[in-house]
Amino acid sequence: MATIIGFLSGIIGGMGIGGGIILIPMLTILLDVEQKIAQSTNLICYLPLALACLPIHIKHKNIDLSVTKKVVPFGIIGALLGSYLAVHLSPVILRKLFAALLFVMGVKEIFNLKWSGGQR
């Protein structure tokens, strides 16, 4: 089962969608992994997956370095804050926050809501 979950999260992650959308729920639901462990496992899985995908996306010019330079520093700060919060929040609260995030993203996609000036 873990092999299939890893494969599916790799496909989704390779598309740039985020393998955690598959990995975290599958680890918690199918393998009964605690939310904090599932989210931390997602982080460690993300690194090799991102490194494997990066050359392909660079080759196809799918990376805008001007945006990347603006996003990465603040992403690092947010990641540090988020990891601190994750460690200190109860697994129940963490799970509910993750579920709410997935729900909001799903509703946004279903109704094709636009949150930015970007094109679809």
Side-chain angles (χ1 to χ4, degrees):
M1 182 58 69
T3 306
I4 294 169
I5 293 169
F7 182 73
L8 293 174
S9 70
I11 289 173
I12 299 297
M15 295 165 132
I17 298 170
I21 290 174
I22 295 290
L23 186 62
I24 295 169
M26 294 302 164
L27 288 176
T28 57
I29 295 166
L30 298 178
L31 298 182
D32 200 31
V33 173
E34 182 185 328
Q35 186 73 26
K36 287 183 182 184
I37 302 299
Q39 288 185 211
S40 298
T41 301
N42 176 61
L43 291 174
I44 199 72
C45 290
Y46 174 75
L47 293 173
L49 297 176
L51 290 174
C53 299
L54 197 54
I56 296 168
H57 287 289
I58 289 172
K59 179 182 175 186
H60 291 277
K61 296 179 174 46
N62 290 335
I63 298 173
D64 184 341
L65 291 178
S66 66
V67 173
T68 304
K69 290 175 185 175
K70 295 173 186 173
V71 171
V72 168
F74 295 101
I76 291 170
I77 294 167
L80 292 170
L81 177 62
S83 62
Y84 177 82
L85 288 172
V87 168
H88 290 87
L89 288 172
S90 77
V92 172
I93 298 291
L94 198 56
R95 191 174 196 146
K96 288 180 181 184
L97 288 172
F98 185 71
L101 173 67
L102 290 178
F103 178 76
V104 168
M105 289 171 50
V107 168
K108 177 199 170 298
E109 287 303 311
I110 288 171
F111 294 105
N112 197 19
L113 301 173
K114 304 223 187 235
W115 288 348
S116 68
Q119 293 188 5
R120 285 197 144 256

PDB file of all heavy atoms in Angstrom, residues 72-96:
ATOM      1  N   VAL A  72      10.816  32.556  -2.484  1.00  0.00           N
ATOM      2  CA  VAL A  72      11.615  31.640  -1.659  1.00  0.00           C
ATOM      3  C   VAL A  72      11.981  32.201  -0.283  1.00  0.00           C
ATOM      4  O   VAL A  72      11.785  31.515   0.731  1.00  0.00           O
ATOM      5  CB  VAL A  72      12.865  31.146  -2.431  1.00  0.00           C
ATOM      6  CG1 VAL A  72      13.846  30.451  -1.507  1.00  0.00           C
ATOM      7  CG2 VAL A  72      12.438  30.203  -3.547  1.00  0.00           C
ATOM      8  N   PRO A  73      12.504  33.436  -0.179  1.00  0.00           N
ATOM      9  CA  PRO A  73      12.869  33.910   1.166  1.00  0.00           C
ATOM     10  C   PRO A  73      11.688  33.915   2.141  1.00  0.00           C
ATOM     11  O   PRO A  73      11.822  33.510   3.295  1.00  0.00           O
ATOM     12  CB  PRO A  73      13.382  35.333   0.920  1.00  0.00           C
ATOM     13  CG  PRO A  73      13.774  35.366  -0.507  1.00  0.00           C
ATOM     14  CD  PRO A  73      12.856  34.406  -1.212  1.00  0.00           C
ATOM     15  N   PHE A  74      10.539  34.357   1.651  1.00  0.00           N
ATOM     16  CA  PHE A  74       9.363  34.400   2.523  1.00  0.00           C
ATOM     17  C   PHE A  74       8.798  33.001   2.755  1.00  0.00           C
ATOM     18  O   PHE A  74       8.224  32.722   3.805  1.00  0.00           O
ATOM     19  CB  PHE A  74       8.315  35.351   1.952  1.00  0.00           C
ATOM     20  CG  PHE A  74       8.802  36.769   1.933  1.00  0.00           C
ATOM     21  CD1 PHE A  74       9.279  37.336   0.762  1.00  0.00           C
ATOM     22  CD2 PHE A  74       8.826  37.516   3.098  1.00  0.00           C
ATOM     23  CE1 PHE A  74       9.760  38.639   0.748  1.00  0.00           C
ATOM     24  CE2 PHE A  74       9.305  38.815   3.097  1.00  0.00           C
ATOM     25  CZ  PHE A  74       9.773  39.386   1.916  1.00  0.00           C
ATOM     26  N   GLY A  75       8.973  32.120   1.779  1.00  0.00           N
ATOM     27  CA  GLY A  75       8.588  30.721   1.953  1.00  0.00           C
ATOM     28  C   GLY A  75       9.396  30.058   3.061  1.00  0.00           C
ATOM     29  O   GLY A  75       8.865  29.274   3.851  1.00  0.00           O
ATOM     30  N   ILE A  76      10.669  30.381   3.131  1.00  0.00           N
ATOM     31  CA  ILE A  76      11.523  29.831   4.194  1.00  0.00           C
ATOM     32  C   ILE A  76      11.054  30.325   5.554  1.00  0.00           C
ATOM     33  O   ILE A  76      10.924  29.538   6.497  1.00  0.00           O
ATOM     34  CB  ILE A  76      13.005  30.195   3.944  1.00  0.00           C
ATOM     35  CG1 ILE A  76      13.513  29.439   2.715  1.00  0.00           C
ATOM     36  CG2 ILE A  76      13.858  29.883   5.168  1.00  0.00           C
ATOM     37  CD1 ILE A  76      14.884  29.885   2.227  1.00  0.00           C
ATOM     38  N   ILE A  77      10.772  31.606   5.648  1.00  0.00           N
ATOM     39  CA  ILE A  77      10.270  32.164   6.916  1.00  0.00           C
ATOM     40  C   ILE A  77       8.941  31.505   7.291  1.00  0.00           C
ATOM     41  O   ILE A  77       8.731  31.098   8.437  1.00  0.00           O
ATOM     42  CB  ILE A  77      10.117  33.701   6.810  1.00  0.00           C
ATOM     43  CG1 ILE A  77      11.493  34.346   6.653  1.00  0.00           C
ATOM     44  CG2 ILE A  77       9.378  34.259   8.025  1.00  0.00           C
ATOM     45  CD1 ILE A  77      11.445  35.808   6.232  1.00  0.00           C
ATOM     46  N   GLY A  78       8.040  31.375   6.320  1.00  0.00           N
ATOM     47  CA  GLY A  78       6.755  30.731   6.572  1.00  0.00           C
ATOM     48  C   GLY A  78       6.921  29.271   6.961  1.00  0.00           C
ATOM     49  O   GLY A  78       6.202  28.769   7.827  1.00  0.00           O
ATOM     50  N   ALA A  79       7.869  28.582   6.337  1.00  0.00           N
ATOM     51  CA  ALA A  79       8.110  27.174   6.668  1.00  0.00           C
ATOM     52  C   ALA A  79       8.600  27.018   8.102  1.00  0.00           C
ATOM     53  O   ALA A  79       8.178  26.103   8.814  1.00  0.00           O
ATOM     54  CB  ALA A  79       9.127  26.576   5.698  1.00  0.00           C
ATOM     55  N   LEU A  80       9.471  27.916   8.523  1.00  0.00           N
ATOM     56  CA  LEU A  80       9.954  27.861   9.907  1.00  0.00           C
ATOM     57  C   LEU A  80       8.803  28.104  10.890  1.00  0.00           C
ATOM     58  O   LEU A  80       8.659  27.385  11.881  1.00  0.00           O
ATOM     59  CB  LEU A  80      11.073  28.877  10.120  1.00  0.00           C
ATOM     60  CG  LEU A  80      12.373  28.582   9.382  1.00  0.00           C
ATOM     61  CD1 LEU A  80      13.328  29.771   9.472  1.00  0.00           C
ATOM     62  CD2 LEU A  80      13.023  27.323   9.920  1.00  0.00           C
ATOM     63  N   LEU A  81       7.995  29.106  10.603  1.00  0.00           N
ATOM     64  CA  LEU A  81       6.836  29.395  11.457  1.00  0.00           C
ATOM     65  C   LEU A  81       5.843  28.235  11.438  1.00  0.00           C
ATOM     66  O   LEU A  81       5.346  27.812  12.483  1.00  0.00           O
ATOM     67  CB  LEU A  81       6.156  30.680  11.002  1.00  0.00           C
ATOM     68  CG  LEU A  81       4.879  31.075  11.748  1.00  0.00           C
ATOM     69  CD1 LEU A  81       5.173  31.334  13.223  1.00  0.00           C
ATOM     70  CD2 LEU A  81       4.255  32.307  11.110  1.00  0.00           C
ATOM     71  N   GLY A  82       5.565  27.705  10.249  1.00  0.00           N
ATOM     72  CA  GLY A  82       4.622  26.591  10.128  1.00  0.00           C
ATOM     73  C   GLY A  82       5.091  25.343  10.855  1.00  0.00           C
ATOM     74  O   GLY A  82       4.289  24.659  11.500  1.00  0.00           O
ATOM     75  N   SER A  83       6.385  25.040  10.767  1.00  0.00           N
ATOM     76  CA  SER A  83       6.881  23.849  11.463  1.00  0.00           C
ATOM     77  C   SER A  83       6.814  24.043  12.973  1.00  0.00           C
ATOM     78  O   SER A  83       6.494  23.114  13.712  1.00  0.00           O
ATOM     79  CB  SER A  83       8.305  23.504  11.017  1.00  0.00           C
ATOM     80  OG  SER A  83       9.198  24.547  11.340  1.00  0.00           O
ATOM     81  N   TYR A  84       7.076  25.262  13.426  1.00  0.00           N
ATOM     82  CA  TYR A  84       6.957  25.549  14.852  1.00  0.00           C
ATOM     83  C   TYR A  84       5.508  25.350  15.311  1.00  0.00           C
ATOM     84  O   TYR A  84       5.254  24.713  16.332  1.00  0.00           O
ATOM     85  CB  TYR A  84       7.418  26.983  15.143  1.00  0.00           C
ATOM     86  CG  TYR A  84       7.262  27.378  16.588  1.00  0.00           C
ATOM     87  CD1 TYR A  84       8.225  27.025  17.533  1.00  0.00           C
ATOM     88  CD2 TYR A  84       6.143  28.073  17.021  1.00  0.00           C
ATOM     89  CE1 TYR A  84       8.077  27.371  18.859  1.00  0.00           C
ATOM     90  CE2 TYR A  84       5.991  28.431  18.349  1.00  0.00           C
ATOM     91  CZ  TYR A  84       6.954  28.071  19.262  1.00  0.00           C
ATOM     92  OH  TYR A  84       6.801  28.414  20.583  1.00  0.00           O
ATOM     93  N   LEU A  85       4.566  25.875  14.527  1.00  0.00           N
ATOM     94  CA  LEU A  85       3.148  25.717  14.867  1.00  0.00           C
ATOM     95  C   LEU A  85       2.725  24.248  14.836  1.00  0.00           C
ATOM     96  O   LEU A  85       2.010  23.789  15.727  1.00  0.00           O
ATOM     97  CB  LEU A  85       2.277  26.521  13.904  1.00  0.00           C
ATOM     98  CG  LEU A  85       2.300  28.035  14.060  1.00  0.00           C
ATOM     99  CD1 LEU A  85       1.552  28.706  12.921  1.00  0.00           C
ATOM    100  CD2 LEU A  85       1.712  28.439  15.403  1.00  0.00           C
ATOM    101  N   ALA A  86       3.178  23.520  13.826  1.00  0.00           N
ATOM    102  CA  ALA A  86       2.796  22.108  13.695  1.00  0.00           C
ATOM    103  C   ALA A  86       3.253  21.291  14.892  1.00  0.00           C
ATOM    104  O   ALA A  86       2.538  20.411  15.366  1.00  0.00           O
ATOM    105  CB  ALA A  86       3.363  21.529  12.406  1.00  0.00           C
ATOM    106  N   VAL A  87       4.437  21.593  15.382  1.00  0.00           N
ATOM    107  CA  VAL A  87       4.975  20.861  16.529  1.00  0.00           C
ATOM    108  C   VAL A  87       4.181  21.169  17.799  1.00  0.00           C
ATOM    109  O   VAL A  87       4.013  20.314  18.654  1.00  0.00           O
ATOM    110  CB  VAL A  87       6.478  21.185  16.721  1.00  0.00           C
ATOM    111  CG1 VAL A  87       7.001  20.696  18.049  1.00  0.00           C
ATOM    112  CG2 VAL A  87       7.291  20.605  15.577  1.00  0.00           C
ATOM    113  N   HIS A  88       3.673  22.394  17.878  1.00  0.00           N
ATOM    114  CA  HIS A  88       2.995  22.812  19.108  1.00  0.00           C
ATOM    115  C   HIS A  88       1.467  22.680  19.077  1.00  0.00           C
ATOM    116  O   HIS A  88       0.832  22.804  20.116  1.00  0.00           O
ATOM    117  CB  HIS A  88       3.402  24.245  19.453  1.00  0.00           C
ATOM    118  CG  HIS A  88       4.835  24.331  19.902  1.00  0.00           C
ATOM    119  ND1 HIS A  88       5.881  24.477  19.018  1.00  0.00           N
ATOM    120  CD2 HIS A  88       5.389  24.238  21.128  1.00  0.00           C
ATOM    121  CE1 HIS A  88       7.009  24.483  19.677  1.00  0.00           C
ATOM    122  NE2 HIS A  88       6.742  24.352  20.959  1.00  0.00           N
ATOM    123  N   LEU A  89       0.895  22.441  17.913  1.00  0.00           N
ATOM    124  CA  LEU A  89      -0.554  22.246  17.834  1.00  0.00           C
ATOM    125  C   LEU A  89      -0.896  20.787  18.099  1.00  0.00           C
ATOM    126  O   LEU A  89      -0.108  19.891  17.815  1.00  0.00           O
ATOM    127  CB  LEU A  89      -1.076  22.630  16.446  1.00  0.00           C
ATOM    128  CG  LEU A  89      -1.097  24.105  16.098  1.00  0.00           C
ATOM    129  CD1 LEU A  89      -1.462  24.293  14.631  1.00  0.00           C
ATOM    130  CD2 LEU A  89      -2.068  24.856  16.978  1.00  0.00           C
ATOM    131  N   SER A  90      -2.083  20.553  18.602  1.00  0.00           N
ATOM    132  CA  SER A  90      -2.523  19.180  18.806  1.00  0.00           C
ATOM    133  C   SER A  90      -2.770  18.528  17.446  1.00  0.00           C
ATOM    134  O   SER A  90      -3.132  19.204  16.488  1.00  0.00           O
ATOM    135  CB  SER A  90      -3.796  19.133  19.646  1.00  0.00           C
ATOM    136  OG  SER A  90      -4.911  19.486  18.856  1.00  0.00           O
ATOM    137  N   PRO A  91      -2.588  17.211  17.352  1.00  0.00           N
ATOM    138  CA  PRO A  91      -2.828  16.523  16.087  1.00  0.00           C
ATOM    139  C   PRO A  91      -4.259  16.721  15.572  1.00  0.00           C
ATOM    140  O   PRO A  91      -4.477  16.790  14.365  1.00  0.00           O
ATOM    141  CB  PRO A  91      -2.570  15.053  16.413  1.00  0.00           C
ATOM    142  CG  PRO A  91      -1.678  15.072  17.604  1.00  0.00           C
ATOM    143  CD  PRO A  91      -2.056  16.312  18.369  1.00  0.00           C
ATOM    144  N   VAL A  92      -5.210  16.849  16.469  1.00  0.00           N
ATOM    145  CA  VAL A  92      -6.608  17.041  16.067  1.00  0.00           C
ATOM    146  C   VAL A  92      -6.776  18.398  15.379  1.00  0.00           C
ATOM    147  O   VAL A  92      -7.389  18.485  14.306  1.00  0.00           O
ATOM    148  CB  VAL A  92      -7.551  16.933  17.294  1.00  0.00           C
ATOM    149  CG1 VAL A  92      -8.967  17.320  16.930  1.00  0.00           C
ATOM    150  CG2 VAL A  92      -7.500  15.533  17.878  1.00  0.00           C
ATOM    151  N   ILE A  93      -6.225  19.443  15.961  1.00  0.00           N
ATOM    152  CA  ILE A  93      -6.313  20.783  15.370  1.00  0.00           C
ATOM    153  C   ILE A  93      -5.575  20.804  14.028  1.00  0.00           C
ATOM    154  O   ILE A  93      -6.071  21.351  13.038  1.00  0.00           O
ATOM    155  CB  ILE A  93      -5.715  21.848  16.316  1.00  0.00           C
ATOM    156  CG1 ILE A  93      -6.492  21.916  17.625  1.00  0.00           C
ATOM    157  CG2 ILE A  93      -5.642  23.207  15.635  1.00  0.00           C
ATOM    158  CD1 ILE A  93      -7.881  22.472  17.501  1.00  0.00           C
ATOM    159  N   LEU A  94      -4.402  20.199  13.995  1.00  0.00           N
ATOM    160  CA  LEU A  94      -3.608  20.159  12.768  1.00  0.00           C
ATOM    161  C   LEU A  94      -4.368  19.455  11.650  1.00  0.00           C
ATOM    162  O   LEU A  94      -4.397  19.919  10.508  1.00  0.00           O
ATOM    163  CB  LEU A  94      -2.285  19.442  13.061  1.00  0.00           C
ATOM    164  CG  LEU A  94      -1.149  19.631  12.083  1.00  0.00           C
ATOM    165  CD1 LEU A  94      -0.824  21.099  11.898  1.00  0.00           C
ATOM    166  CD2 LEU A  94       0.069  18.869  12.557  1.00  0.00           C
ATOM    167  N   ARG A  95      -4.997  18.360  11.994  1.00  0.00           N
ATOM    168  CA  ARG A  95      -5.769  17.603  11.000  1.00  0.00           C
ATOM    169  C   ARG A  95      -6.952  18.419  10.481  1.00  0.00           C
ATOM    170  O   ARG A  95      -7.250  18.425   9.292  1.00  0.00           O
ATOM    171  CB  ARG A  95      -6.242  16.293  11.626  1.00  0.00           C
ATOM    172  CG  ARG A  95      -6.815  15.334  10.644  1.00  0.00           C
ATOM    173  CD  ARG A  95      -7.131  14.009  11.325  1.00  0.00           C
ATOM    174  NE  ARG A  95      -7.328  13.010  10.313  1.00  0.00           N
ATOM    175  CZ  ARG A  95      -6.989  11.750  10.436  1.00  0.00           C
ATOM    176  NH1 ARG A  95      -6.428  11.316  11.519  1.00  0.00           N
ATOM    177  NH2 ARG A  95      -7.223  10.900   9.466  1.00  0.00           N
ATOM    178  N   LYS A  96      -7.619  19.132  11.373  1.00  0.00           N
ATOM    179  CA  LYS A  96      -8.761  19.953  10.970  1.00  0.00           C
ATOM    180  C   LYS A  96      -8.314  21.126  10.098  1.00  0.00           C
ATOM    181  O   LYS A  96      -9.001  21.475   9.132  1.00  0.00           O
ATOM    182  CB  LYS A  96      -9.529  20.438  12.197  1.00  0.00           C
ATOM    183  CG  LYS A  96     -10.304  19.316  12.862  1.00  0.00           C
ATOM    184  CD  LYS A  96     -11.072  19.777  14.065  1.00  0.00           C
ATOM    185  CE  LYS A  96     -11.793  18.571  14.664  1.00  0.00           C
ATOM    186  NZ  LYS A  96     -12.637  18.920  15.779  1.00  0.00           N
TER     187      LYS A  96
END
